[in-house]
Structures are given as C-alpha cells and as structure tokens.
Amino acid sequence: MTTLSTPGLAPVEPIEPPETGWGLVYGGGGHEPVNGKYSDIESSIDGSVVASVPNADRDDLDRAIDSARQAAKEWAKVAPSQRVGLLDAFADRLLEANERLGWLDTINAGMPISATRMEAAYGARMIKSHARLAEEIKGATFPQANGIWGYSTREAYGLVGHILPFNHPSLGTCSAIGSALATGNGVVLKPSEFTPLSSLEIGRIAQEVFPAGLVSVLTGDGASIGNAISEHSAIPRISFTGSIRTGRLVMRAAAEELKHVTLELGGKGPLAILPDVDVALAVEMAVGGMNFRGVQAGQSCQSTSRVLVHESMYDTFCERLVQALGEVKIGDPRDPATEMGALAFRQHFARVRDYIDIGQRQGARLLAGGGTPDRFESGFFVEPTAFADVDRGMRIANEEIFGPVVSIMKWSTEDELIEIANGVEYGLTARIACGDLGPGLRLANEIEAGRLWINTANGGPSGMPFGGFKHSGVGKAGDFESLVSYTREKAISVVL
Ligand code: NAD
C-alpha cells in the first residue's frame, strides 16, 4: 500500500526567472548563447515547462574563458585568508537565498522541499569548510644536501572544469565552486541539462561576490558544451560526476591535453545481510541505503540497490521490507510532509519504468511498488519498488537503474555472498548488516568498493573520502586530499 503525503497535485506555475533572466553565467554577467538556442526545462511534478535555458556550445566556452583565464590568474595570488572572507560571504548569500534555491530544485527536479532546502544549506556550509581546509594546504621543505636546499609549494591549476550529473544540483554546484575557488582556481561549471536552474542561480550569486570571470556556469548538452569543456586546452583540471559511459567519453576527450581528470561514476552497491543480524536493522538499512527518502527518490550513486539476504531470514526480511516501503510518504514535492518526490526528468522516468518491465519480463517477483501512485500520473513519480528472487543473470541485478528500485537476492554461503557482491563492474559503495562485528569486518575486507557502511545506512564523520573502485571512478571527493588535488605541486632546489 502506497502512503501518500498529499491527495493530489495542484498545477505548477512557471518559475519566476532572476531579474537578469536565465542567461549563461560568465565574464561577470548573464549572456545569451552565441547560437541563440534555448532548451525548455520541465517540472518533474507535472511535466509542465517552467523555464527556458541557454544551450551553450564551444563559442560560448571560448568567450567565458577569455575573461576566466585572467580572473583565475589574479585569484591565485589572493591570500588564502582573503579568499576565506569572500567564500564565507558567498556562503552567507546562499543561505539568504536558501528558500529560492530549494524551491528551484523542487519544482525542476521534483525533490521534496524539506530536503532541497536542507541540501542547499548543507552546500553553503560545505563552501565555508572548503575555505578553511584550503588554508591548511602547504608545501614541504627538504633537508639541504651539499649546500642545496629544497622546498615545494602547491599552486592552483588555473581553471577547473566541473561537469555535474542531474542529482544533487545545488549541493554539487556548491561543492564544485567551493573546492575550485578555495584552492585558488577559477571554475567553469556545466550542470545537467535536465536540472540546471539552481546552478544558474548559484552562479549568478557568485558573480555578485567574486571578481568578474572567476565563476562560469554554462548550460547545455553534454555532447556540445560538456565535450568542449573536457577537451579545451585552457582547462587543465577536470572533475566529472556522472555515468560510466560518459566518464569514458570525458576521459577520452581530455586525453589529448593530458589533463588531470577525476571521475565519480555510477554504482550498483550490495547490502549484505548476515544471518545473525536483527531483521529490523536489516530492513532499516535496506530502506535507508536505497535513499528512497530525501532529494534522491532512489536516484543516488550511493544506493545499495542489490540486497543480498541470507536464506535463513529471506522470507521474513521480504515481508518486513514491504511493510517499511509502504510507510515512505510519496507525494507533492512542494508539501513539507512529503518524504519522496518524483524522478528528475521525463526520459529518466521512462528509463526506470523500462527497468521495472525488464525485471518482470526476466522473471523477478515484484514484491512492492512498480507503478505510479493514483492522481500523480501527470508527473514523473514511481513508487518505492522491490523485486525479490532476482537472479544473478538478470539485468536488474547488474545494471544501474538509478531509481527507487531494489533487487533482492538470496545467498547461503559466505563465498557465494562475496562472489555476488563483487560480480558487477561497479565498486562504489557497500553496506553490511551484521550481528557479530567479526564476520562483518571480514566481509568489508573482501568487498571491492570505495565506501562502506557497517550497521548504519548513511552515517559517518564528515571529511571521509568518497570514490569508486573498478569502473565506479578514478580519484576521491569529500576529503582533504581531494581538495589538495585541485592544486599542483612545484619542487624547487636553491643553492644557499
Ligand atoms: P550522465 O553521465 O548522463 O551526465 C552527467 C553529465 O555529463 C551531464 O552534465 C551531461 O550533460 C554531461 N555529458 C553528457 N555527455 C557528455 C560528453 N560527451 N562530454 C562531457 N559531458 C557530457 O549522468 P547523469 O544521468 O546526469 O547522472 C547519473 C549518473 O551519475 C549515475 O551513473 C550516478 O551513479 C552517477 N553519479 C555518481 C556520483 C559519484 O559521486 N560517484 C554522484 C552522483 C551521480
């Protein structure tokens, strides 16, 4: 039974554009695209068009870079303490604009308003923390040898290109701008063509705080502006977050210029449920680990979308999971009581529904959800969905669906569990639910993933590294070292 937070949907009004319009953000102002092309942005709540944004290409990037290069050169010379002051002021401006930023992601991407506001505020706080951490980035000195002394410094790259996925639009934008600017770089950012509004707004606010040209936000398709950023010779450092398929394209495009590229890619994480765990904890981790609630509606790279349950508790677990999924309040994302909203855009909605069909066609047992709640048919809503009896050969056991769909599989021996857990190309996250910690820790050693949780769905200290093994990525995000990776080291010998 689906739990609704709201009985139906009121029509969505077009979003009020900023005073200067939804122009491309570069050179200290807003700009029309050189090619004159715009794309409509639909609201996930009901599919209505709520804005129209520029479709930038290489010509716009060249113009942005004209001013960005010089701005970045000067910014690199600004004392870190002064940078902190401006980054703090920027973060404060974002906090003042919190309601609007949350609203943009809610209307554009169908994310619950309570979660989008929280996420935008978290993004602002992250900028403050990047600023302080960056003050700690230092070089080294080396013992002198034969009258020659050595030291190293860390300096900015100049321009960092950030290419973002459609989920976490405001948080991703804050993190991209914060990490680049805190380390003395300028930034050229491309949001997803499907969820660009909060990024444009954040970029516009950044222009009011930072020197002209330092922050550029260029909206448009991946194949044109995304590719142009990846290959442009003036952008030596690329940070990409998105799918494996696009990650490969970005790496190839960046190869000609031998750029420093980090890739944060997809996941198909396992949640391993060991026989001695309390079933209530196992269910809590399955629901929390799938990120049904909050901004994601299951659209999270971190989700453990394969739940591997020991045969001894399989039936009980399935029964209890169905109950728990029925308690997730799906509804109008504008309603503060809503816990789970819509999927982010039309094509993705169709893709997730295709996977639900594929799961059924290939013989998995639809345990819960699978449809759109009554009275929400005009938007991109999918109920929390679970498949049981998923076989290792099925597509829903191997491919990232990136929606609110979980695949449950049964295991009997530890060897079998490890084989299933590691049997996909992904290696981003894993969760382990166990009673005795010993077997859980042993399993954590065996699982090929970059980020794991034992007996908690999402908790953990801040500043932990996040990034994938295998095809899930190259490099890390979220920790001090990843901030350092936006600088390059220079080693100098000097005769005393
Ligand atoms: P996507 O790969 O389709 O698009 C990501 C970005 O790349 C978009 O801005 C897109 O326009 C751009 N792009 C597309 N083609 C391009 C090209 N040829 N050159 C340069 N850029 C191009 O991904 P998506 O659907 O937006 O996001 C979902 C994916 O992102 C999932 O696989 C998810 O797991 C992953 N993701 C990973 C992390 C992480 O931290 N590992 C975080 C969030 C999302």
Side-chain angles (χ1 to χ4, degrees):
M1 212 6 218
T2 306
T3 304
L4 299 178
S5 59
T6 20
L9 290 170
V12 173
E13 304 292 331
I15 294 174
E16 190 68 33
E19 255 171 54
T20 47
W22 293 116
L24 294 169
V25 170
Y26 68 83
H31 301 267
E32 308 248 320
V34 175
N35 60 22
K37 289 187 190 156
Y38 284 79
S39 291
D40 284 343
I41 300 298
E42 290 181 336
S43 170
S44 302
I45 300 175
D46 65 358
S48 60
V49 172
V50 288
S52 180
V53 303
N55 225 335
D57 62 24
R58 171 77 191 221
D59 290 336
D60 304 287
L61 178 61
D62 283 337
R63 289 183 182 202
I65 281 175
D66 273 348
S67 60
R69 258 182 171 151
Q70 190 52 35
K73 227 178 225 170
E74 283 159 24
W75 181 247
K77 292 181 203 142
V78 171
S81 57
Q82 215 177 323
R83 280 188 216 138
V84 171
L86 282 180
L87 283 156
D88 273 353
F90 175 46
D92 288 337
R93 290 290 312 278
L94 296 182
L95 289 171
E96 282 163 26
N98 183 262
E99 206 151 308
R100 161 98 172 155
L101 292 174
W103 187 249
L104 291 177
D105 283 348
T106 291
I107 299 298
N108 181 175
M111 299 164 173
I113 188 70
S114 53
T116 52
R117 285 192 186 134
M118 231 156 58
E119 181 139 300
Y122 179 56
R125 287 198 302 274
M126 189 183 270
I127 290 170
K128 293 191 180 214
S129 121
H130 282 329
R132 270 157 197 80
L133 276 177
E135 279 194 295
E136 299 303 318
I137 298 177
K138 300 178 180 86
T141 57
F142 300 83
Q144 64 95 8
N146 304 323
I148 301 179
W149 178 60
Y151 69 98
S152 72
T153 59
R154 288 226 156 245
E155 56 183 45
Y157 273 94
L159 288 179
V160 176
H162 270 280
I163 301 174
L164 302 184
F166 69 79
N167 61 332
H168 301 295
S170 60
L171 181 60
T173 303
C174 288
S175 171
I177 296 179
S179 55
L181 265 56
T183 47
N185 296 284
V187 62
V188 178
L189 183 144
K190 185 202 126 27
S192 163
E193 57 271 49
F194 301 106
T195 55
L197 300 183
S198 56
S199 303
L200 282 172
E201 188 83 3
I202 293 169
R204 197 184 60 74
I205 294 170
Q207 285 190 322
E208 293 172 6
V209 178
F210 298 108
L214 202 57
V215 174
S216 310
V217 180
L218 304 177
T219 48
D221 296 338
S224 55
I225 187 63
N227 182 62
I229 291 170
S230 306
E231 65 183 14
H232 202 291
S233 59
I235 307 178
R237 173 78 174 89
I238 297 285
S239 169
F240 171 81
T241 309
S243 63
I244 293 178
R245 194 190 70 80
T246 315
R248 287 199 175 99
L249 294 175
V250 168
M251 210 172 199
R252 277 191 205 117
E256 195 57 36
E257 290 292 332
L258 297 168
K259 301 186 180 195
H260 178 162
V261 179
T262 46
L263 303 172
E264 302 294 329
L265 308 178
K268 185 79 182 173
L271 161 60
I273 297 181
L274 304 198
D276 63 342
V277 72
D278 177 10
V279 71
L281 175 62
V283 169
E284 185 189 313
M285 285 181 66
V287 177
M290 230 352 262
N291 297 296
F292 290 105
R293 293 183 166 97
V295 290
Q296 297 101 328
Q299 304 162 114
S300 169
C301 59
Q302 302 190 7
S303 292
T304 30
S305 51
R306 294 179 297 143
V307 177
L308 319 183
V309 190
H310 188 257
E311 57 186 358
S312 61
M313 65 184 332
Y314 189 80
D315 292 337
T316 318
F317 172 84
C318 288
E319 207 175 291
R320 298 275 293 272
L321 182 70
V322 173
Q323 275 170 22
L325 292 185
E327 286 161 15
V328 176
K329 283 189 200 136
I330 184 167
D332 187 336
R334 294 164 291 184
D335 178 350
T338 292
E339 295 175 330
M340 176 177 163
L343 300 191
F345 57 98
R346 187 180 293 277
Q347 296 87 327
H348 187 55
F349 174 57
R351 204 176 100 93
V352 171
R353 290 204 304 180
D354 268 356
Y355 269 112
I356 293 173
D357 288 346
I358 290 166
Q360 285 176 295
R361 277 207 307 276
Q362 292 196 325
R365 177 161 58 98
L366 186 63
L367 203 60
T372 289
D374 290 346
R375 300 189 299 275
F376 288 82
E377 291 89 356
S378 55
F380 309 149
F381 295 84
V382 172
E383 293 167 322
T385 299
F387 278 106
D389 306 344
V390 174
D391 186 88
R392 287 183 64 185
M394 291 178 186
R395 286 183 60 190
I396 61 167
N398 292 287
E399 297 172 23
E400 185 186 39
I401 300 173
F402 210 60
V405 183
V406 66
S407 300
I408 306 170
M409 301 160 87
K410 195 188 283 184
W411 62 275
S412 49
T413 67
E414 205 173 298
D415 284 349
E416 190 190 2
L417 170 63
I418 294 166
E419 215 178 293
I420 303 175
N422 291 336
V424 294
E425 68 170 320
Y426 301 92
L428 189 56
T429 63
R431 292 180 175 83
I432 298 168
C434 56
D436 185 356
L437 261 185
L441 291 170
R442 236 185 10 249
L443 191 59
N445 279 346
E446 296 293 335
I447 290 183
E448 297 172 297
R451 179 74 172 97
L452 289 86
W453 292 263
I454 300 176
N455 288 347
T456 174
N458 281 308
S462 59
M464 288 182 76
F466 186 82
F469 286 10
K470 301 203 287 189
H471 290 169
S472 285
V474 177
K476 299 285 179 190
D479 62 343
F480 181 65
E481 282 72 23
S482 59
L483 201 61
V484 174
S485 81
Y486 291 102
T487 63
R488 51 190 179 177
E489 193 166 27
K490 183 179 273 176
I492 300 159
S493 293
V494 52
V495 174
L496 295 175

